[in-house]
Amino acid sequence: MSLEATFERVSMELDEPFTIARSTQTEAENLIVRVSDEEGTTGVGGAAPARHYGETADTVAAVLPELLSVVEDVGDPHALTTIEGRMKEVVRDNPAARCAVSIALHDLAAKRLDVPLYRLWGLEASSTPDSSFTIGIDSVERMREKTADAADAGYPVLKVKLGGDRDREIVETVREAAPDATIRVDANEAWTPRETVAKSEWLAELGVEFIEQPVPAEDPEGLKFAYERSALPIAADESCVTAADIPRIADRCDIANLKLMKTGGLLEARRAIATARSHGLEVMLGCMVESNASIAAATHLAPLLDYADLDGSLLLAEDPFDGPDLAGGAIPLADVDRDGTGAVER
């Protein structure tokens, strides 16, 4: 058997500027990996590098030729453990780059067996959590409008970005605009430990479900302080990059927020989920601003999750790939009628 592997860069405009506590994003540059077998079946994967974790489109493009050489040398898309192990030997960092290759290989392997990816893993799709829809930081009035639009579109779970001096006003506004929604908040490391504890009190009064990454990842003792005193559960995101981080955060949070682009691949993501479970943590799977070339793969992990935040492709003005219909927040795995991840080029 032989495989041919290629990649390209794709720049995608966002539907509108997306602001969190530390930055504003107006476009996303993803890299698309394609792996084809001798019969012309092609698997597709996407990389969504994040500068916050030390990756850019340039660094991904620089290492992909080495990673794709591993794929072509092994030549078997079903040898997933072997290929992912060798890729990590060749390129230890750049997890988004390795992830794109991992997704493409999983997509191809499932397509060759004529099954959706979750069936390849032996998962059952009847019970999956709803994905949240994110309300980025904006003027309070614009956040009210975005919340109302999301509620009208049927999203039952909203994630609200915080991290400034308008936090309480923002949450009160969102709650007023969507009185029945489940609300989660994400400070993206912007608060101090004591600030987290204080804000958790009124956030609980407003019916918020949990707080995501309130303090800087570089302050593990601050995370523990907040976790032990918060009126709400704490989810760790920036503090939890790979499976190796989970033992260090297990007594500092309630929820591990994993992302494919942090873990470095689908096999690694499944290991991280199992590691979190073994440490008594709940699990959420999040995302970057990503095309369906990668979001589609993430949805197949939904049966293993407590919470999902997989709206990255919904923030794009136009996605070059079709994928699962996540409008309204439901993850429709049971309705998947495509083999592989379900990502299809438009």
Side-chain angles (χ1 to χ4, degrees), residues 4 6 33-37 39-44 104 107-109 111-112 343 345:
E4 181 181 356
T6 62
V33 169
R34 296 176 179 84
V35 181
S36 301
D37 65 11
E39 298 176 354
T41 304
T42 299
V44 176
D107 188 32
L108 177 57
K111 285 176 176 175
R112 287 171 56 86
E345 295 188 56

Side-chain angles (χ1 to χ4, degrees), residues 8-345:
E8 67 169 325
R9 294 169 69 148
V10 177
S11 183
M12 301 169 291
E13 296 292 326
L14 272 63
D15 192 47
E16 61 180 88
F18 180 67
T19 299
I20 64 174
R22 59 175 172 257
S23 64
T24 296
Q25 187 174 357
T26 59
E27 65 178 8
E29 190 164 17
N30 286 192
L31 290 94
I32 307 301
V33 169
R34 296 176 179 84
V35 181
S36 301
D37 65 11
E38 294 170 326
E39 298 176 354
T41 304
T42 299
V44 176
R51 189 177 295 274
H52 185 75
Y53 295 106
E55 280 189 281
T56 65
D58 287 339
T59 66
V60 172
V63 301
L64 274 176
E66 295 178 79
L67 298 177
L68 298 184
S69 290
V70 171
V71 171
E72 293 177 343
D73 288 345
V74 175
D76 182 357
H78 300 281
L80 296 166
T81 301
T82 297
I83 293 175
E84 292 202 18
R86 291 190 187 178
M87 286 198 300
K88 199 167 184 179
E89 291 175 0
V90 171
V91 179
R92 290 203 59 83
D93 296 320
N94 285 100
R98 288 186 283 113
C99 186
V101 182
S102 170
I103 292 171
L105 287 167
H106 278 79
D107 188 32
L108 177 57
K111 285 176 176 175
R112 287 171 56 86
L113 297 175
D114 300 320
V115 294
L117 179 56
Y118 76 89
R119 297 294 291 169
L120 178 69
W121 288 334
L123 300 180
E124 208 279 313
S126 62
S127 179
T128 57
D130 287 328
S131 176
S132 57
F133 183 81
T134 306
I135 308 297
I137 297 173
D138 210 321
S139 68
V140 172
E141 188 53 42
R142 181 64 187 125
M143 293 183 78
R144 183 194 304 277
E145 293 171 355
K146 289 191 284 189
T147 299
D149 289 344
D152 289 344
Y155 290 98
V157 184
L158 303 177
K159 183 165 88 166
V160 182
K161 293 291 188 178
L162 300 178
D165 56 7
R166 298 178 295 134
D167 286 345
R168 182 161 191 159
E169 183 184 9
I170 286 171
V171 178
E172 289 175 342
T173 298
V174 170
R175 174 53 75 202
E176 180 181 332
D180 298 324
T182 296
I183 296 175
R184 303 162 185 167
V185 299
D186 183 5
N188 287 112
E189 306 180 273
W191 297 343
T192 67
R194 293 188 181 279
E195 187 179 7
T196 301
V197 175
K199 290 187 174 185
S200 74
E201 297 291 339
W202 56 260
L203 287 168
E205 292 174 0
L206 289 167
V208 168
E209 186 177 24
F210 60 76
I211 302 169
E212 185 178 335
Q213 196 64 46
V215 304
E218 295 77 18
D219 185 11
E221 292 309 309
L223 183 64
K224 186 173 185 179
F225 180 95
Y227 162 68
E228 291 176 343
R229 295 163 177 81
S230 173
L232 290 172
I234 300 293
D237 179 2
E238 287 88 344
S239 294
C240 178
V241 180
T242 68
D245 295 315
I246 290 173
R248 294 191 286 269
I249 61 148
D251 63 346
R252 289 167 165 77
C253 67
D254 302 276
I255 304 161
N257 184 14
L258 308 172
K259 291 184 172 77
L260 295 186
M261 297 303 145
K262 295 190 300 183
T263 61
L266 291 170
L267 292 183
E268 283 297 321
R270 294 184 67 192
R271 291 188 188 105
I273 291 170
T275 303
R277 295 290 187 204
S278 72
H279 284 82
L281 297 174
E282 292 187 297
V283 179
M284 177 163 68
L285 187 65
C287 62
M288 309 301 182
V289 180
E290 306 174 23
S291 162
N292 271 310
S294 49
I295 290 291
T299 65
H300 289 261
L301 291 166
L304 301 175
L305 307 175
D306 299 291
Y307 312 101
D309 178 31
L310 299 176
D311 64 342
S313 63
L314 300 176
L315 304 177
L316 299 171
E318 185 175 350
D319 191 335
F321 289 84
D322 280 325
D325 182 7
L326 300 181
I331 300 176
L333 273 191
D335 298 329
V336 169
D337 59 359
R338 298 171 180 166
D339 298 333
T341 67
V344 177
E345 295 188 56

